[in-house]
């Protein structure tokens, strides 16, 4: 997998990539119409890690991931290519 990221920090919003200190990558997605529509998705395993009723805070994300967050990247400034 090849990952290209421009190091622009942005506010946390749907579609942003969350990168941990151990280089795991997650994304927060929205499943409209659900009771807990905000989903934390692991891009390594493609499993839902946690559901939220509102946009999770950085602390909530770190607690659910179990690692410190290194950076959050805006999806408009990042790309992922699977080889």
């Amino acid at each position: 997998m090849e990952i290209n990221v421009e190091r622009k920090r942005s506010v946390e919003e749907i579609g942003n990539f969350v990168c941990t200190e151990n280089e795991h990558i997650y994304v927060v997605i929205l499943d409209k119409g659900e009771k807990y529509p905000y989903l934390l998705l692991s891009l390594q395993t493609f499993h839902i890690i946690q559901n939220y009723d509102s946009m999770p805070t950085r602390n909530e994300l770190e607690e659910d991931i179990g690692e410190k967050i290194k950076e959050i990247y805006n999806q408009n400034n990042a790309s992922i290519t699977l080889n």
Side-chain angles (χ1 to χ4, degrees):
M1 176 175 12
E2 179 182 323
I3 302 172
N4 299 305
V5 178
E6 290 183 33
R7 293 193 166 271
K8 291 187 179 178
R9 175 94 171 127
S10 70
V11 295
E12 298 172 32
E13 60 185 36
I14 297 304
N16 285 168
F17 295 105
V18 177
C19 183
T20 67
E21 290 179 348
N22 292 326
E23 298 187 6
H24 295 118
I25 299 178
Y26 302 84
V27 66
V28 176
I29 59 175
L30 181 63
D31 188 8
K32 291 182 181 179
E34 295 296 319
K35 183 176 181 180
Y36 299 99
Y38 296 88
L39 309 174
L40 177 61
L41 174 69
S42 166
L43 293 184
Q44 273 77 23
T45 63
F46 294 102
H47 285 100
I48 301 297
I49 304 302
Q50 187 60 277
N51 300 51
Y52 307 93
D53 60 352
S54 61
M55 179 61 75
T57 65
R58 186 182 188 107
N59 288 340
E60 288 174 316
L61 291 170
E62 286 181 338
E63 183 177 317
D64 293 331
I65 291 170
E67 297 180 48
K68 289 284 187 191
I69 292 173
K70 179 179 176 183
E71 191 63 77
I72 297 173
Y73 301 101
N74 184 301
Q75 75 274 15
N76 296 320
N77 298 313
S79 66
I80 295 177
T81 303
L82 300 175
N83 296 324

